[in-house]
Amino acid sequence: MDKSYKITRHVCPRNCYSACSILGFTKNGQLEKVTGDPAHGYTKGLLCAKGYNYMNQVYHQERLKYPMKQVPRGSGRWQRISWSEAIETITNKMIELYERYDSHLSLALNKYSGNMGVLHHAMEGFFNGLGNTSRAIGNPCWAPGMDALHYDYGACQTSDMEDVHHARTIILWGVNPVWTSIHSMNYIYEAQKRGAKIITIDPIYTESAKKSDAFIQVKPGSDGSLAVAIAKYIIDHELYDLEFIEKHTVGWNELKEHIRQFSMDDALKECGQSIGAIKFLAERLCHDKPVTIWIGFGMQRNMNGGQNVRAINSLAAMTGNVGIKGSGVQFGKRTTEKFTFQILNYLQKDGIEKNEIRTIDMNDFALDVQKQQDPPVKFLWITCRNLLTQSSNIKQLKEVLSAMELIVTVEHFLTETVQFSDIVLPATMLFEEWEVVSSYWHHWISINQPAIEPYYESKSDLEIARLLSKKLNEYKEGFSSFPSHLTDEEFIEQEFTDTLYEQLHIKNWRELLSGPKRVDHSKTAWEDFHFQTPSGKIELYSFQAKKNQLSPFGLEPAGSQMDAQYPYTLLLNHEPFRINSQFLNLNSFKEINQEPSVYLHPKLAKEKNIQNDTMVKLLSKSGEIIIRAKYSHDVQKQTLLIYPNHPLINKLITFTPSDMGQFVTGGKGNALNNVHVNIENLSN
């Protein structure tokens, strides 16, 4: 390697399983190359296509360079302004609204997962430092599944992917890691070489299904009925692991009686399976152990999404596939996030343990903002998300945004949301800032250090928070308690504890600059069998769920969710070359990410007289769109599929709450896969 390069360590902060460790190579202040970091024990020096294209993102010709204001909003008439003018305008509006309403409740923050680093909690910390404010809460990603794991096991834990080497059976239930978690596939392929059988359960014949030993094509949202059928077969044939059940679960007898009341024929009809498929799955779970079950996020984005996950939890428990090497339910976890999150805790007044946040449902933001009238929301800060491509009820949302007095968005590019803002502030990227990042999937922690100077006048969320706080305190001492004097590195210093250092086997966070470290945590989830439920065991009957007006049982059939006027289920699946709207503008991906298309089975196309590669109309209760139709044998006849790479798709979506989410995240999940549509041939 040319020694004239400066080599720096980075970590991808996107909302992804891998949180890949990256090496940056710079020369003369220019980033010239990125590679994977071989020191990372999970990603092992490999990146996905997005990661290898980061350099093109950093120097993209459309990247925002300066603060700008748009007058009037939505006109497209942008004017470059200085940072001084931007901060002055923003803080003046904050002060004006405070004096008008005698509080900061008219200020709202809407932030999500554009950057998963710890220091990117800076804007939450800044808002906390003002006192009582309004905040978008909830989670559009994994809320129902998180609740389900907490009801049944008491917390969310995952095993190391290395643990899958011990599995004899691996079930990929509603997850497509070939596209969405490529680093995990190396571990799965290795297990397959050792004799493990891979089974994919999914409504779509995905790329992962095509590489599996068996594929079960389930009807969308009917996973609970599939699990009920499997459980009924296991109980009827006494295949369950009674020793495990008696030692580590509560509620078995109640669950057993509960299952016996359901009809096998009804369950089979609801999930679209034969008794042969049920027998196959039941026997794999009971006789070919240990079994690893990986639950994807898409499956729990249904009206019964949390219950679907609880059903799978129950199957794992009754078959003894928990806490043993190579077994368990994989979904996501927070066990590595042992930071202090001091960045959140600069409260506005001494002696107050927690500011009161006026919560606004992130997944039903438009409706919930309209409900807040004492005082109304007049100022909106958006960062780390593209609100107008990630929300339902778009027409209503635009009406709500139009009533705001000031909308500020922090961004890299001129997104749909920026175009509906008054001020845009250019944000730094990972090669231009300090950060510390962990994963919700593996147990490694990495430090991100600056490799190059910020692009033109871009600044990090943390630097922006400091500027705002400093300016507000010039108006009135103590108006903001967010510290403007601490450096990025001092903020990082505060996030580490002696316990975390001990678990990482280091003495100071700067040792992470020599390479990522694994948190000293069990490689097998729940191997101590100390579950964090009230009973200390897996709860097949949950009093917590019952108290929250949910079924106490993990296993419930899905029931019918069809609509005669809109008889087709529209699924929105992730692609391998972007994360929602991120990376969509890369020149190298534009040929891959072509215009959005809806995929339908040729039999349905024949019935509707729809020709391949022609334009069709999709209609839902929320609206309609014109889109290109393409034939696919990967979907079922009653299922349509879109890879959502265009904001027009949001016109079809009204917020539909899932059954769970409030227990852990504070708001119900968004049932994005409960979109029912009709399809029309435009030539008729």
Side-chain angles (χ1 to χ4, degrees):
M1 178 61 65
D2 187 343
K3 292 184 179 180
S4 62
Y5 281 114
K6 180 181 76 170
I7 303 175
T8 46
R9 278 201 156 83
H10 310 277
V11 53
C12 180
R14 305 278 82 83
N15 188 352
C16 170
Y17 288 101
S18 296
C20 292
S21 191
I22 301 171
L23 295 179
F25 296 79
T26 60
K27 185 183 292 186
N28 299 323
Q30 184 88 357
L31 182 68
E32 294 195 355
K33 178 183 177 181
V34 297
T35 68
D37 184 354
H40 196 285
Y42 170 73
T43 58
K44 296 182 177 179
L46 299 176
L47 301 177
C48 70
K50 299 181 289 292
Y52 285 118
N53 273 276
Y54 256 129
M55 198 167 64
N56 297 326
Q57 192 86 329
V58 171
Y59 296 115
H60 197 285
Q61 66 271 21
E62 295 173 359
R63 186 174 170 189
L64 296 172
K65 299 176 180 177
Y66 311 104
M68 296 191 295
K69 66 179 180 180
Q70 181 179 210
V71 184
R73 182 188 303 156
S75 65
R77 294 197 288 270
W78 290 97
Q79 304 169 21
R80 177 182 170 182
I81 58 176
S82 68
W83 271 100
S84 295
E85 181 181 346
I87 297 298
E88 185 86 25
T89 302
I90 293 164
T91 53
N92 283 347
K93 176 55 70 173
M94 289 179 170
I95 293 166
E96 176 197 332
L97 291 171
Y98 179 80
E99 292 175 343
R100 187 191 311 174
Y101 296 115
D102 195 30
S103 80
H104 286 299
L105 288 174
S106 64
L107 311 182
L109 171 65
N110 194 316
K111 170 184 177 283
Y112 190 52
S113 67
N115 190 302
M116 303 288 279
V118 174
L119 297 191
H120 275 78
H121 288 85
M123 287 315 301
E124 291 101 317
F126 169 74
F127 267 66
N128 288 341
L130 293 174
N132 299 342
T133 56
S134 299
R135 193 80 52 85
I137 57 95
N139 188 292
C141 183
W142 65 358
M146 291 285 280
D147 272 19
L149 271 294
H150 276 257
Y151 284 132
D152 298 336
Y153 300 143
C156 300
Q157 291 191 16
T158 60
S159 300
D160 274 9
M161 281 306 294
E162 292 176 5
D163 207 56
V164 83
H165 291 172
H166 302 281
R168 292 185 61 193
T169 301
I170 301 169
I171 299 177
L172 304 176
W173 202 319
V175 66
N176 183 16
V178 170
W179 277 10
T180 61
S181 184
I182 60 169
H183 297 90
S184 295
M185 288 308 299
N186 290 330
Y187 300 96
I188 291 173
Y189 290 146
E190 182 62 31
Q192 204 171 25
K193 289 177 184 177
R194 296 184 181 199
K197 298 300 181 185
I198 315 300
I199 302 168
T200 291
I201 301 173
D202 204 288
I204 308 298
Y205 187 40
T206 63
E207 294 305 308
S208 298
K210 293 168 186 176
K211 296 181 182 299
S212 300
D213 297 290
F215 172 54
I216 306 294
Q217 193 164 31
V218 67
K219 290 182 179 179
S222 70
D223 307 86
S225 294
L226 176 60
V228 164
I230 296 168
K232 191 169 183 63
Y233 186 94
I234 289 171
I235 290 170
D236 289 347
H237 293 80
E238 298 185 352
L239 300 177
Y240 43 81
D241 188 333
L242 188 59
E243 181 181 358
F244 182 93
I245 289 168
E246 290 177 343
K247 281 185 178 180
H248 303 301
T249 75
V250 295
W252 168 243
N253 290 329
E254 294 88 344
L255 179 65
K256 192 162 53 172
E257 292 306 310
H258 178 68
I259 291 297
R260 282 175 174 157
Q261 71 177 303
F262 298 121
S263 160
M264 177 66 83
D265 289 341
D266 288 347
L268 293 175
K269 183 178 179 181
E270 286 174 3
C271 65
Q273 299 303 315
S274 67
I275 191 65
I278 301 305
K279 178 176 182 288
F280 167 73
L281 290 170
E283 291 183 346
R284 294 297 312 189
L285 281 164
C286 299
H287 296 321
D288 294 292
K289 302 193 295 185
V291 179
T292 292
I293 306 173
W294 183 352
I295 302 175
F297 297 143
M299 189 201 70
Q300 42 97 60
R301 293 171 187 158
N302 280 282
M303 293 171 63
N304 59 350
Q307 199 63 47
N308 286 342
V309 176
R310 290 196 66 202
I312 298 170
N313 293 341
S314 296
L315 287 181
M318 73 168 61
T319 58
N321 281 298
V322 180
I324 300 162
K325 284 191 177 298
S327 74
V329 174
Q330 302 279 85
F331 180 74
K333 55 85 190 164
R334 287 176 168 170
T335 52
T336 309
E337 297 179 1
K338 298 186 182 296
F339 304 107
T340 66
F341 288 101
Q342 175 62 35
I343 197 168
L344 295 173
N345 294 322
Y346 294 101
L347 302 178
Q348 205 272 333
K349 293 179 181 178
D350 292 337
I352 296 179
E353 293 184 2
K354 184 178 181 181
N355 291 325
E356 290 296 323
I357 295 171
R358 184 170 68 172
T359 61
I360 303 173
D361 191 330
M362 178 177 291
N363 291 321
D364 198 14
F365 190 71
L367 179 62
D368 227 8
V369 165
Q370 289 180 322
K371 292 178 181 178
Q372 316 304 324
Q373 294 300 321
D374 187 24
V377 175
K378 292 296 184 181
F379 175 108
L380 181 61
W381 189 282
I382 304 168
T383 184
C384 292
R385 76 176 309 194
N386 190 353
L387 184 63
L388 283 174
T389 65
Q390 298 172 348
S391 300
S392 51
N393 304 336
I394 291 298
K395 182 179 179 182
Q396 186 180 24
L397 177 61
K398 288 184 175 180
E399 292 173 357
V400 166
L401 295 180
S402 297
M404 302 284 182
E405 294 182 13
L406 185 66
I407 299 174
V408 181
T409 298
V410 183
E411 253 299 351
H412 298 130
F413 299 100
L414 203 66
T415 65
E416 293 81 3
T417 302
V418 171
Q419 293 170 35
F420 218 80
S421 303
D422 299 293
I423 292 177
V424 60
L425 303 176
T428 51
M429 290 188 179
L430 69 152
F431 299 98
E432 303 156 1
E433 60 189 19
W434 283 101
E435 188 54 280
V436 55
V437 183
S438 63
S439 167
Y440 57 74
W441 185 241
H442 57 72
H443 297 89
W444 290 76
I445 289 179
S446 305
I447 284 289
N448 187 90
Q449 63 184 134
I452 54 176
E453 291 297 314
Y455 186 75
Y456 286 82
E457 294 185 9
S458 59
K459 296 184 185 297
S460 68
D461 274 359
L462 180 52
E463 176 62 13
I464 294 168
R466 284 190 292 240
L467 290 172
L468 291 170
S469 186
K470 183 178 180 180
K471 191 66 178 180
L472 287 171
N473 287 331
E474 289 176 6
Y475 160 76
K476 180 179 179 182
E477 185 177 355
F479 199 72
S480 167
S481 64
F482 190 82
S484 58
H485 63 283
L486 295 180
T487 66
D488 291 15
E489 292 151 277
E490 287 171 330
F491 273 103
I492 293 176
E493 187 86 38
Q494 293 182 152
E495 292 301 324
F496 285 82
T497 64
D498 290 341
T499 299
L500 184 52
Y501 282 141
E502 184 178 341
Q503 291 176 327
L504 289 168
H505 301 287
I506 60 176
K507 294 182 179 180
N508 185 276
W509 65 269
R510 290 185 181 277
E511 293 180 48
L512 294 172
L513 293 172
S514 299
K517 301 292 183 183
R518 184 188 182 278
V519 174
D520 193 0
H521 191 272
S522 172
K523 289 192 174 184
T524 303
W526 304 114
E527 69 176 357
D528 59 1
F529 298 106
H530 291 158
F531 300 96
Q532 296 175 32
T533 56
S535 66
K537 296 184 177 183
I538 300 172
E539 299 197 349
L540 301 173
Y541 184 104
S542 170
F543 283 101
Q544 285 183 311
K546 185 177 181 180
K547 181 182 178 181
N548 291 333
Q549 299 181 319
L550 298 166
S551 171
F553 298 105
L555 282 153
E556 294 286 0
S560 176
Q561 300 178 7
M562 296 311 299
D563 185 318
Q565 187 176 357
Y566 303 100
Y568 309 108
T569 300
L570 177 65
L571 297 182
L572 307 173
N573 282 20
H574 284 286
E575 294 176 285
F577 298 108
R578 62 189 183 85
I579 301 176
N580 297 320
S581 60
Q582 296 179 78
F583 301 99
L584 188 60
N585 60 347
L586 287 182
N587 293 332
S588 53
F589 289 167
K590 282 185 177 178
E591 290 186 10
I592 301 170
N593 291 316
Q594 296 177 356
E595 66 173 317
S597 301
V598 59
Y599 295 87
L600 72 162
H601 197 281
K603 288 184 179 179
L604 175 60
K606 185 176 181 180
E607 287 182 6
K608 294 281 188 176
N609 193 29
I610 295 171
Q611 300 299 313
N612 188 45
D613 209 33
T614 59
M615 304 305 287
V616 296
K617 181 186 291 186
L618 282 186
L619 309 94
S620 74
K621 290 181 179 179
S622 301
E624 58 186 53
I625 64 172
I626 306 299
I627 191 169
R628 190 171 300 280
K630 292 184 181 292
Y631 293 173
S632 174
H633 288 276
D634 295 341
V635 300
Q636 297 165 303
K637 186 179 173 184
Q638 295 298 116
T639 304
L640 304 177
L641 172 65
I642 291 179
Y643 300 108
N645 59 358
H646 197 284
L648 66 84
I649 294 159
N650 294 62
K651 294 180 181 179
L652 300 173
I653 302 172
T654 300
F655 172 63
T656 302
S658 60
D659 53 350
M660 298 181 197
Q662 289 177 304
F663 189 47
V664 175
T665 70
K668 287 191 174 182
N670 196 347
L672 291 169
N673 284 326
N674 270 109
V675 179
H676 298 294
V677 299
N678 211 331
I679 185 169
E680 293 181 359
N681 182 350
L682 285 178
S683 63
N684 287 345

